[in-house]
Amino acid sequence: MHRITTKLIFTLSIITLSIPIDNTLYAQKNAQHYFDSVTYALPKIASPEQKVTALDTLGLYYKDTKPDTALFFARQGLQLAVSSKYIYGEAKMRSLLSLIYSRFSEYENANVQARHALQLFTKINSTPGIAAAYNQLGVNSAKLGRYDSATIYLLKSEKIYEDAKDSSSLGLVYMNLGVISEEDGRQDASLDEALQYFTKALSYSKNDLERKLDLFNNIGIIYGKKGELKKALSFFKNVLDGTNTDATFLPVRLNALTDCVMAYDHLGDHENAIKCTDEGLFLARKYNLPADEALCLMDKGAIISSKNMTAGTALIHQGLALAKKIGNKRLQLQGYDNLMGVYEDKKDYKNAYLILQERNDFATQVFNIEKAKKIAQVRELYETEKKDNEILLLNKDRSLQALQLKNEKTNRNYLFAGILLLASFSTVTVYNRNRRRKLIFQKQISETEMTALRAQMNPHFLFNSLNSIHSYIQDNNNTVASAYLLDFSKLTRIILENSVHQSISLNEEIQALELYFSLEARRMDKKLDYEINVSPEIDTENTLIPPLILQPFIENAILHGLQHKEDGGKIKLSITLQNNMLHCTIEDNGIGREKASQLSGKFASKKESLGMKLTNQRINIINKQKKSAAYVTITDLTDNGETGVRVVLTLPLETRF
């Protein structure tokens, strides 16, 4: 029912504020008073350098509690730093923007700003700034799942801090390296490696109690994942012993309580698990932390549902309603998962199916909303920068006119020629810059359109799979429904994870297709046989392919070709490489398109046209983006009375390296 999960503790130390900030209520009030004073004095600061520093200080203070306010200060500071040619200030403001974008989960934008900051810090040889920029790049890359790149960035940061003998920052880097090792499950020894990093970070964090407690939590989580739950509990209890129920280190204590709940639940100690959820609820309500309150309600509901399902599901619904109220999408998804787990444990597959439908509808809605926001942000940035360029060109023209008037009598002809040359150069430069930005903007819009198409493909597939589960439930075949639901949830997770990427490895696409084939074979009572062949010269890990682009063709082959055959049939997928193009061939020995159309009538043609329409749109966008010639051919097969269909999807070869 529960699973111990990692809490990503990625914090960055860019500057030290002039007053210490801790978590006590007294210090919080003093800090707020100080920053209110800085905000009030801001318009009166004359020096651009001092004003940029003040804006940076305010942005860092508000980035976690009021990120929109922090973004306002950061943009204002960046504009001032650029206009006053204050390179160090521009680098600091771009570092701040990277932190804020990361807070909004816009990790690509965060990395763009961090790279720009790195260039500026390198230009002025600011070693602390370079190390901090590498640290930010490592954190953001890890959030994007690029663990190899993240590790390289953090090791560069480690080298700089090591040379500077900065023990506090070294502890931070080792903690981040530990989190990366823990999250990167590709290596069997990743948990042991994470444990080594966390232990090393502890040795550098003896004077930082909050980070020390955070590390205890993370070490406990590692032992929980290794199955050593009693050892995990000992570290969580160390955190609880080092904190209390006032506001000091409140987030750390709440994390430890949540981790204790999971450990106790796995050990079957429901009494202590509920005690931890009750304390968590008390603290969350006392200090007005609705997200933590929602999480505790869901955890408590999941625990007590084994004895009292009505009371348990009521608490989960209460937590889910609170998560919806505050707009926390991650917690809403967790609430749906908890409800589905409760119904599965009670073998109530009908309600599990209904909750799964609701969850997937919500996930798709969230996905589309986020992409719509992304389009709006890209368009806003494009329009803003276009206006800035127009203002820049106008200012240059004015400067040239003033220069012309000043020297008109002595050098009229020479100056006139110079003005024309400079004006032409400025116009061409701005035109080219605008043209490049327009191309970048169009590329971003194309990528967003492609993502929206993939978002439409996901429900198309999910709807058919949910119908299969529904048929098992109607037939009272609960055992098969349970197994099918488990594999379906795995495939759903893979599809949702893959759908956020423009491309995935061919190996990942094949794994998803194999799971899809197995689900369809089970639905057809094992009357479906399939074969996947990849040419040996193709490196499946290095070769990239758009996610879910082959599945619609396979789905059509099953639904319209093989499903109508009494003895089932076979699908063969072959992937070859010719002239730098991937040729993906899908062959079936079904009844053929003509007979399928006669049997299914208008419904079949509409359903097939939907999948083909979406896929053709994706191929058109691929061709525009990559200036390639991707295409699809469909051929009817007839040989000695046997029928079938061959689909060949040809895509440009794309590799990681």
Side-chain angles (χ1 to χ4, degrees):
M1 185 186 305
H2 288 288
R3 180 174 67 85
I4 291 184
T5 56
T6 306
K7 293 180 174 58
L8 294 176
I9 305 169
F10 284 145
T11 56
L12 292 170
S13 180
I14 304 300
I15 67 167
T16 303
L17 301 181
S18 56
I19 61 170
I21 303 296
D22 60 42
N23 288 326
T24 64
L25 289 176
Y26 177 76
Q28 287 175 4
K29 288 179 180 178
N30 280 350
Q32 187 62 57
H33 178 72
Y34 168 76
F35 288 107
D36 287 343
S37 300
V38 173
T39 306
Y40 178 76
L42 197 60
K44 303 176 183 178
I45 301 175
S47 166
E49 289 82 2
Q50 291 179 357
K51 195 164 188 175
V52 168
T53 301
L55 288 166
D56 184 43
T57 302
L58 290 169
L60 281 166
Y61 178 68
Y62 287 112
K63 70 180 175 62
D64 292 322
T65 55
K66 297 178 180 178
D68 290 327
T69 302
L71 186 60
F72 171 78
F73 286 132
R75 286 175 172 168
Q76 194 176 0
L78 179 61
Q79 185 178 4
L80 180 59
V82 171
S83 64
S84 61
K85 297 181 180 179
Y86 180 29
I87 296 177
Y88 180 70
E90 181 184 351
K92 294 292 289 296
M93 299 315 299
R94 292 195 182 278
S95 290
L96 175 59
L97 279 170
S98 179
L99 289 170
I100 296 168
Y101 283 134
S102 182
R103 177 69 174 77
F104 285 125
S105 300
E106 296 179 21
Y107 303 117
E108 292 287 8
N109 286 337
N111 260 356
V112 168
Q113 295 298 333
R115 287 192 193 97
H116 206 149
L118 177 61
Q119 292 173 352
L120 294 168
F121 281 130
T122 303
K123 184 176 181 179
I124 59 177
N125 198 27
S126 171
T127 304
I130 293 170
Y134 277 133
N135 196 33
Q136 282 177 275
L137 285 166
V139 169
N140 294 326
S141 297
K143 295 275 192 174
L144 289 165
R146 300 167 189 164
Y147 298 113
D148 292 337
S149 299
T151 302
I152 291 170
Y153 286 130
L154 287 173
L155 289 176
K156 287 182 178 181
S157 181
E158 176 205 15
K159 179 68 169 61
I160 296 172
Y161 288 135
E162 201 170 52
D163 292 343
K165 294 182 171 52
D166 186 344
S167 59
S168 177
S169 296
L170 271 174
L172 176 67
V173 171
Y174 287 133
M175 184 167 71
N176 287 339
L177 283 166
V179 173
I180 289 173
S181 298
E182 181 183 355
E183 288 294 298
D184 185 4
R186 294 175 295 172
Q187 302 174 12
D188 294 337
S190 59
L191 292 179
D192 292 330
E193 187 179 80
L195 193 57
Q196 290 174 6
Y197 277 127
F198 287 143
T199 304
K200 201 170 183 178
L202 266 179
S203 66
Y204 287 97
S205 306
K206 294 177 181 177
N207 297 324
D208 190 333
L209 179 57
E210 184 171 12
R211 187 186 298 167
K212 185 178 177 181
L213 294 172
D214 274 334
L215 285 164
F216 280 153
N217 258 342
N218 278 279
I219 292 172
I221 289 169
I222 293 290
Y223 281 118
K225 286 189 170 185
K226 289 165 71 71
E228 301 178 39
L229 295 175
K230 290 184 178 179
K231 201 164 187 177
L233 272 172
S234 67
F235 280 93
F236 299 148
K237 287 178 179 177
N238 280 338
V239 178
L240 296 178
D241 291 340
T243 58
N244 49 46
T245 56
D246 64 18
T248 309
F249 307 134
L250 180 61
V252 181
R253 185 173 184 84
L254 283 168
N255 284 342
L257 287 169
T258 301
D259 295 331
C260 279
V261 170
M262 296 177 183
Y264 280 130
D265 187 35
H266 276 88
L267 288 168
D269 188 349
H270 292 170
E271 183 179 349
N272 276 316
I274 290 175
K275 283 182 180 178
C276 290
T277 60
D278 286 341
E279 184 185 334
L281 276 172
F282 168 77
L283 292 173
R285 288 166 175 167
K286 179 178 179 180
Y287 296 105
N288 191 27
L289 301 170
D292 291 281
E293 181 181 352
L295 179 61
C296 291
L297 286 168
M298 292 174 186
D299 281 346
K300 185 173 182 179
I303 294 167
I304 69 173
S305 63
S306 58
K307 293 183 178 179
N308 189 333
M309 186 171 178
T310 302
T313 53
L315 283 172
I316 298 174
H317 277 293
Q318 189 179 341
L320 183 57
L322 184 55
K324 289 179 180 177
K325 182 179 178 181
I326 62 176
N328 191 315
K329 300 176 182 62
R330 181 185 62 82
L331 281 175
Q332 290 179 62
L333 288 173
Q334 183 166 336
Y336 287 125
D337 289 340
N338 278 9
L339 282 172
M340 198 163 67
V342 168
Y343 287 127
E344 283 181 10
D345 287 345
K346 293 295 184 180
K347 301 190 184 305
D348 185 352
Y349 298 114
K350 180 179 179 181
N351 277 315
Y353 163 73
L354 294 174
I355 292 296
L356 182 61
Q357 276 188 312
E358 191 174 344
R359 183 198 188 281
N360 287 330
D361 287 344
F362 172 72
T364 302
Q365 178 188 359
V366 169
F367 186 80
N368 289 331
I369 290 172
E370 293 301 321
K371 291 306 166 185
K373 286 181 180 178
K374 183 67 176 177
I375 291 175
Q377 288 171 357
V378 170
R379 183 176 288 111
E380 180 185 357
L381 287 171
Y382 170 67
E383 294 296 336
T384 301
E385 292 192 358
K386 186 172 72 171
K387 289 178 182 177
D388 290 343
N389 286 332
E390 290 171 353
I391 293 170
L392 178 63
L393 182 59
L394 181 61
N395 288 336
K396 284 186 177 180
D397 287 341
R398 288 174 177 172
S399 298
L400 290 173
Q401 289 171 9
L403 185 62
Q404 181 186 20
L405 291 172
K406 184 178 180 181
N407 299 285
E408 188 176 23
K409 294 179 181 179
T410 59
N411 210 5
R412 182 187 303 271
N413 294 333
Y414 179 77
L415 184 58
F416 182 70
I419 289 173
L420 286 177
L421 181 62
L422 286 173
S424 299
F425 176 77
S426 298
T427 302
V428 171
T429 300
V430 174
Y431 170 77
N432 286 334
R433 287 180 62 187
N434 278 335
R435 185 171 178 271
R436 284 197 302 271
R437 295 193 188 281
K438 185 176 181 181
L439 289 173
I440 292 170
F441 172 70
Q442 289 173 343
K443 180 176 181 292
Q444 289 172 320
I445 291 296
S446 294
E447 289 176 351
T448 308
E449 288 174 351
M450 181 71 84
T451 307
L453 285 174
R454 292 199 305 271
Q456 294 178 60
M457 295 296 292
N458 292 344
H460 178 67
F461 156 72
L462 294 173
F463 176 78
N464 292 325
S465 297
L466 289 170
N467 273 343
S468 299
I469 299 171
H470 188 225
S471 64
Y472 288 133
I473 295 172
Q474 283 186 323
D475 294 339
N476 292 320
N477 197 343
N478 291 340
T479 303
V480 177
S482 178
Y484 193 101
L485 189 62
L486 183 62
D487 284 345
F488 171 65
S489 65
K490 292 178 184 175
L491 182 58
T492 302
R493 186 183 71 249
I494 290 172
I495 289 173
L496 291 175
E497 288 174 352
N498 289 346
S499 66
V500 299
H501 301 293
Q502 292 289 330
S503 300
I504 61 173
S505 72
L506 180 57
N507 186 54
E508 290 173 313
E509 178 75 355
I510 289 172
Q511 288 178 354
L513 288 176
E514 285 180 335
L515 189 51
Y516 174 70
F517 269 128
S518 68
L519 284 169
E520 289 294 84
R522 190 179 304 167
R523 183 178 64 83
M524 294 176 63
D525 198 18
K526 299 183 179 179
K527 290 181 181 179
L528 168 64
D529 192 14
Y530 63 92
E531 180 181 338
I532 300 178
N533 296 315
V534 182
S535 294
E537 70 267 22
I538 298 176
D539 183 351
T540 57
E541 285 291 349
N542 190 36
T543 302
L544 299 177
I545 189 171
L548 211 66
I549 200 162
L550 296 176
Q551 186 271 338
F553 298 108
I554 295 170
E555 180 183 324
N556 278 335
I558 294 171
L559 293 179
H560 306 299
L562 304 182
Q563 190 164 260
H564 299 294
K565 292 184 71 173
E566 292 184 4
D567 56 347
K570 181 176 182 178
I571 295 178
K572 182 179 179 181
L573 170 62
S574 303
I575 303 176
T576 58
L577 180 62
Q578 295 177 20
N579 300 323
N580 254 11
M581 299 289 283
L582 277 181
H583 296 268
C584 308
T585 304
I586 303 163
E587 287 188 7
D588 69 72
N589 61 349
I591 61 175
R593 289 189 294 172
E594 184 178 349
K595 191 171 181 181
S597 180
Q598 293 172 358
L599 287 173
S600 301
K602 295 180 180 179
F603 177 76
S605 61
K606 285 183 180 179
K607 188 175 184 59
E608 188 170 2
S609 66
L610 172 62
M612 290 301 296
K613 179 181 177 183
L614 294 174
T615 303
N616 284 330
Q617 288 181 45
R618 295 180 73 187
I619 291 171
N620 288 337
I621 294 176
I622 289 171
N623 287 334
K624 287 179 183 177
Q625 287 178 330
K626 305 184 184 217
K627 306 297 181 185
S628 60
Y631 61 92
V632 178
T633 60
I634 303 176
T635 308
D636 291 302
L637 303 177
T638 54
D639 186 16
N640 296 325
E642 293 292 327
T643 58
V645 175
R646 178 190 295 126
V647 177
V648 180
L649 173 62
T650 304
L651 297 168
L653 177 64
E654 183 182 358
T655 58
R656 292 186 194 274
F657 310 106

